[in-house]
Amino acid sequence: MTILGIDLGTTNSACAIWRDGKSELIPNRFGDFLTPSVVGLDDNGELLVGKFAKQRLLSHPHLCASVFKRYMGTDNQQTLGKKNFTSPELSALVLKSLKQDAETLLGETVIEAVISVPAYFNDVQRKATRLAGELAGLKVERLINEPTAAAMAYGLHEKPEGSRFMVVDLGGGTFDVSIMEYFSGVLEVHASAGDNFLGGEDFLEALVQWYLELTGIDKNALNRVQVQQLYSTLEQAKRKLSSVEEVKLDLILPQQKEPISLRRDTFNQRVQSLLSRIQLPVERALNDADISPTDLDDVVLVGGATRMQIFRSMIARMFRRMPAANLDPDLVVAMGAGIQAGLKAKDAALDDIVLTDVCPYTLGTGIHNENDPGGKQGTLFLPIIERNSVVPVSIVKTLYTVTDNQSRVLVDIYQGESRLTRNNVKLGELEVKVPKNKAGAESIDVRYSYDMNGLLEVDIKVNSTGEVFNTMIKNNAGNLSESDIAKTREKLATLKFHPREDEVNRALLHRAERMFESALGEKREHLSHLLQHFESVLEGQNQHEIKLAQKRFDEMLDELEGEHWF
Ligand code: AMP
């Protein structure tokens, strides 16, 4: 019986199985190892999962849901069309899609799984992840910490007793560092630290700024398509710079006067401040674990953005050794989950000590947004307890009245990482009375205390009167009864999956259309012929011919894409 090892990621998910003595990645129906963790509805109300849902997110955000992993273990819901869905429900749709694709490829039913979770996930979030698996019809054999999975992919669990290593994970939007130790069959996460506002996207933003400054183009004067074009071209350039010294940028936008070139050292200079932010969590984790860089036996890289040369050399400098990076950083976690699945099948699974003594998300409140007189953006998020703070933790911040004669202050309690509270999860609120006075003359002390059980206590003191207010918030999602689970499964079953074959065809057509939009001259004509030919094969509805044409079409597109760089 095959057990599926699954990396259920915030942006992408992937899976692997243990076969012929090794962990083997399983491609999805498009032949990709990565499936975007995005779900959406098409024009017929049918369910899309992965690549297509991600594309649809741009044009129809109200019909799509993404980044739901951030809300695992909370009551937060996202709307798909007319219905609301919780994070476990949305994750279940992704898991179901992975399961179906694996079953098609393997030709057998898969019912068991090992799923990876961030090391800092608390009990509630872990329960919610298990629930997602169950809703997808999977028996979740066990959960594995992501850094543990990455370490296993590198075979670190086979190293001598007492080995210590660091797993550094730089994704699109977050940075996580974990220090692990291996002893008697147990991999323990010793310390973890991170920066939830730092990732590959910030490096891209730095490039966009460089481009705008160099060309003198005003970003506000660009339309939506141009902004998209700018970001996608520079994203490709950024990736290319991981393997070459220089990238030529032909005319990205009509406003650009001449071709320019981007050198790796220019890029490196522009990202200095981001690099220095990487050092902080690394140092903190080392401090917390009370070890020095030279005590580490290995450093493992996870996450697409660790492919950047400048990042690798910085890590190499800090640790005086080259990091372990011969596996694809986007897929190491899935590969490790595949290994754990193999061990589990042999009843020899590795134990994995869970680190739950950190607060998994930033907790804060909303404050007046001075730059938003129209109130379009809503309040700004003021972090009070930062994510990954070691618990128990208690922090106080002082807030001031913003209008003359203000008699009340409403303190909204949020969890999340976004700058705007409207993108975060509201946990509760507490209204306090303050004496009428000039704006800014009255203040309140807002204290957040978070404990081991995931309880958040909010105390507010009105400083001029000494009056105290208090509320308690408990996270309690994920504890559904058997009958609740059955009901939820039924709800998910009413969503009809979009016919899978058709999705592959649409993906190809979409890819070709996009290439057509950015190509010129002969290349464009060629693409147009290819598109017409493929469409005519589709009309013929002969499945065998369609399969052949898919393969050919895909290869031709690969060739065309490889021909020119920009
Ligand atoms: P992904 O894992 O594809 O979601 O990407 C996460 C982050 O890694 C994104 O910010 C990407 O820009 C970045 N990334 C992926 N591949 C590369 C590469 N070859 N060089 C630099 N950054 C990359």
Side-chain angles (χ1 to χ4, degrees):
M1 188 64 80
T2 307
I3 306 179
L4 211 54
I6 302 175
D7 168 11
L8 181 62
T10 310
T11 45
N12 287 301
S13 295
C15 59
I17 57 162
W18 184 259
R19 190 152 68 173
D20 302 330
K22 60 179 188 337
S23 180
E24 187 182 321
L25 293 161
I26 301 288
N28 65 16
R29 58 195 174 283
F30 305 111
D32 303 329
F33 289 133
L34 289 175
T35 298
S37 307
V38 184
V39 301
L41 296 178
D42 70 5
D43 293 337
N44 304 322
E46 283 173 340
L47 186 70
L48 300 168
V49 176
K51 186 145 120 175
F52 259 123
K54 185 176 167 186
Q55 282 165 5
R56 200 159 167 83
L57 190 61
L58 291 175
S59 53
H60 299 77
H62 57 292
L63 291 178
C64 298
S66 63
V67 297
F68 28 87
K69 183 171 169 180
R70 290 209 179 137
Y71 307 112
M72 214 54 144
T74 72
D75 292 331
N76 179 264
Q77 305 213 336
Q78 295 196 39
T79 311
L80 272 190
K82 293 197 185 79
K83 284 191 193 143
N84 290 333
F85 294 89
T86 62
S87 287
E89 290 170 355
L90 296 165
S91 307
L93 297 171
V94 173
L95 291 171
K96 212 162 157 179
S97 173
L98 294 172
K99 174 179 181 296
Q100 283 179 357
D101 287 348
E103 286 175 340
T104 310
L105 194 102
L106 300 169
E108 62 172 280
T109 312
V110 176
I111 46 172
E112 289 170 297
V114 168
I115 303 179
S116 66
V117 288
Y120 56 77
F121 255 27
N122 64 19
D123 195 47
V124 177
Q125 295 167 303
R126 284 167 199 263
K127 283 209 181 95
T129 307
R130 278 186 183 273
L131 173 64
E134 278 179 50
L135 293 174
L138 289 164
K139 182 162 171 275
V140 183
E141 279 296 329
R142 66 188 295 151
L143 301 175
I144 178 172
N145 289 323
E146 285 161 11
T148 303
M152 287 176 80
Y154 278 100
L156 300 184
H157 57 298
E158 286 155 1
K159 290 248 165 135
E161 290 278 300
S163 298
R164 285 183 285 195
F165 23 85
M166 177 179 259
V167 179
V168 183
D169 182 349
L170 186 64
T174 55
F175 179 51
D176 291 298
V177 183
S178 319
I179 292 181
M180 332 247 328
E181 179 163 353
Y182 177 59
F183 62 93
S184 359
V186 178
L187 263 168
E188 186 177 5
V189 181
H190 259 322
S192 70
D195 185 334
N196 33 327
F197 299 102
L198 179 64
E201 282 154 26
D202 298 293
F203 289 78
L204 172 60
E205 199 58 51
L207 266 190
V208 170
Q209 287 311 321
W210 163 81
Y211 175 86
L212 295 174
E213 277 170 33
L214 190 72
T215 55
I217 294 172
D218 175 9
K219 189 171 165 195
N220 295 325
L222 302 177
N223 62 33
R224 197 176 59 88
V225 176
Q226 288 172 334
V227 170
Q228 216 168 317
Q229 175 77 12
L230 175 64
Y231 274 78
S232 72
T233 311
L234 290 177
E235 169 69 22
Q236 289 181 62
K238 183 184 79 169
R239 292 181 183 222
K240 190 92 176 141
L241 272 189
S242 297
S243 51
V244 301
E245 282 291 334
E246 185 170 0
V247 178
K248 285 253 170 310
L249 298 170
D250 289 340
L251 305 184
I252 304 180
L253 300 172
Q255 295 90 328
Q256 182 184 334
K257 298 205 175 62
E258 53 189 7
I260 48 181
S261 81
L262 168 64
R263 292 185 50 80
R264 198 190 273 165
D265 46 10
T266 311
F267 175 67
N268 293 353
Q269 271 165 17
R270 299 293 299 208
V271 300
Q272 276 312 315
S273 62
L274 296 174
L275 291 173
S276 54
R277 280 172 57 195
I278 284 179
Q279 288 186 11
L280 280 169
V282 170
E283 279 160 15
R284 197 176 128 194
L286 286 168
N287 270 339
D288 288 355
D290 196 18
I291 58 173
S292 77
T294 45
D295 294 333
L296 291 172
D297 293 278
D298 242 314
V299 178
V300 168
L301 301 186
V302 184
T306 59
R307 291 199 185 91
M308 287 182 296
Q309 285 301 329
I310 182 75
F311 178 81
R312 291 197 173 179
S313 18
M314 190 179 94
I315 294 289
R317 249 197 338 271
M318 285 171 85
F319 294 96
R320 289 187 219 113
R321 89 192 59 212
M322 290 308 287
N326 49 325
L327 299 176
D328 183 328
D330 285 320
L331 298 168
V332 277
V333 172
M335 289 185 71
I339 297 176
Q340 183 70 297
L343 290 174
K344 181 70 206 143
K346 284 186 278 176
D347 236 2
L350 196 83
D351 281 328
D352 174 23
I353 292 192
V354 172
L355 181 109
T356 50
D357 56 353
V358 289
C359 169
Y361 294 112
T362 304
L363 296 163
T365 185
I367 51 168
H368 179 64
N369 185 348
E370 280 175 8
N371 298 325
D372 179 35
K376 274 207 202 105
Q377 294 189 322
T379 52
L380 289 179
F381 183 55
L382 171 76
I384 296 183
I385 296 179
E386 296 271 10
R387 187 187 76 160
N388 267 329
S389 302
V390 177
V391 294
V393 52
S394 182
I395 291 180
V396 65
K397 292 248 160 124
T398 306
L399 303 182
Y400 297 86
T401 48
V402 287
T403 51
D404 286 341
N405 292 324
Q406 186 174 340
S407 61
R408 292 163 185 279
V409 183
L410 180 67
V411 177
D412 288 321
I413 303 156
Y414 287 98
Q415 158 185 303
E417 315 304 336
S418 173
R419 196 175 61 86
L420 303 176
T421 54
R422 65 163 191 228
N423 300 329
N424 291 330
V425 183
K426 186 160 167 184
L427 300 176
E429 61 182 36
L430 190 57
E431 193 177 59
V432 301
K433 282 199 217 108
V434 291
K436 288 186 179 173
N437 209 331
K438 276 220 197 85
E442 287 294 324
S443 69
I444 56 172
D445 278 353
V446 181
R447 175 177 290 282
Y448 278 24
S449 308
Y450 190 86
D451 75 2
M452 301 290 243
N453 304 316
L455 277 180
L456 170 67
E457 202 177 342
V458 177
D459 296 288
I460 301 178
K461 189 170 119 206
V462 179
N463 288 322
S464 60
T465 62
E467 205 179 348
V468 175
F469 301 81
N470 174 290
T471 186
M472 192 86 129
I473 288 160
K474 188 174 183 339
N475 267 337
N476 60 0
N479 288 325
L480 293 192
S481 68
E482 277 300 319
S483 73
D484 287 338
I485 291 179
K487 258 192 239 143
T488 312
R489 274 212 192 114
E490 265 170 42
K491 171 177 156 195
L492 296 182
T494 58
L495 287 171
K496 225 171 88 208
F497 270 91
H498 189 92
R500 310 228 123 194
E501 262 317 300
D502 193 36
E503 259 190 303
V504 175
N505 298 331
R506 279 178 39 180
L508 278 169
L509 288 171
H510 190 87
R511 178 177 172 206
E513 301 273 9
R514 291 251 297 264
M515 283 172 69
F516 182 90
E517 283 164 20
S518 57
L520 289 172
E522 263 179 45
K523 190 168 169 181
R524 220 170 208 204
E525 260 173 49
H526 193 35
L527 278 163
S528 160
H529 286 311
L530 287 176
L531 269 162
Q532 275 171 9
H533 174 71
F534 189 63
E535 277 169 342
S536 69
V537 176
L538 290 182
E539 265 169 38
Q541 296 185 24
N542 177 329
Q543 285 310 320
H544 178 67
E545 275 178 24
I546 290 177
K547 273 253 168 294
L548 289 176
Q550 276 174 356
K551 189 161 176 296
R552 183 87 194 105
F553 194 25
D554 200 28
E555 285 167 0
M556 298 289 280
L557 294 180
D558 280 348
E559 257 174 50
L560 275 174
E561 211 160 41
E563 258 175 26
H564 297 285
W565 186 252
F566 302 126

